[in-house]
Amino acid sequence: MAVCVPVRDMKDTAAFARLVKESPEPITVTKNGYSEFVVMRAEDYDLMCEEVAKARLVRVLADADGSYEQGDYVDGATFVSSMKEKYGL
């Protein structure tokens, strides 16, 4: 169940921190009845960032697979040679 609290409840920082820590879901903080921002535990945020990074990697790999299947690639030696030529190495 989503937890929403008004911004004024943040004045009691110890109680608010306890609420965030004990809540299994992020806390939506409201101002004048509208969502203002969301607060979550640091561990949950880190996990969310990891999942986003994994999703990005999967998307990049899927794009690479698509390019490979369409023949849009060069072999390693050709790539290295072109980089040496481009950057004067």
Side-chain angles (χ1 to χ4, degrees), residues 5-12 16 29-32 36-37:
V5 298
V7 73
R8 70 177 171 271
D9 286 1
M10 294 177 67
K11 288 180 182 176
D12 184 352
F16 184 74
V29 180
T30 60
K31 183 176 180 183
N32 297 324
E36 190 70 16
F37 50 91

Side-chain angles (χ1 to χ4, degrees), residues 9 21 39 42 58-59 67 71:
D9 286 1
K21 186 170 180 141
V39 180
V58 167
R59 188 174 57 242
S67 294

Side-chain angles (χ1 to χ4, degrees), residues 1-3 23-26:
M1 174 185 267
V3 178
S23 177
E25 296 180 9

Side-chain angles (χ1 to χ4, degrees), residues 32-70:
N32 297 324
Y34 295 97
S35 294
E36 190 70 16
F37 50 91
V38 176
V39 180
M40 65 174 57
R41 295 179 294 209
E43 311 88 61
D44 294 337
Y45 178 76
D46 292 341
L47 287 173
M48 183 182 71
C49 289
E50 257 184 54
E51 291 301 315
V52 168
K54 287 177 188 177
R56 286 181 182 149
L57 178 59
V58 167
R59 188 174 57 242
V60 167
L61 293 174
D63 289 347
D65 280 346
S67 294
Y68 180 78
E69 288 173 4
Q70 294 175 7

Side-chain angles (χ1 to χ4, degrees), residues 67-86:
S67 294
Y68 180 78
E69 288 173 4
Q70 294 175 7
D72 184 19
Y73 64 93
V74 295
D75 64 45
T78 303
F79 174 76
V80 169
S81 175
S82 68
M83 290 295 109
K84 284 181 178 180
E85 183 179 314
K86 181 176 181 178

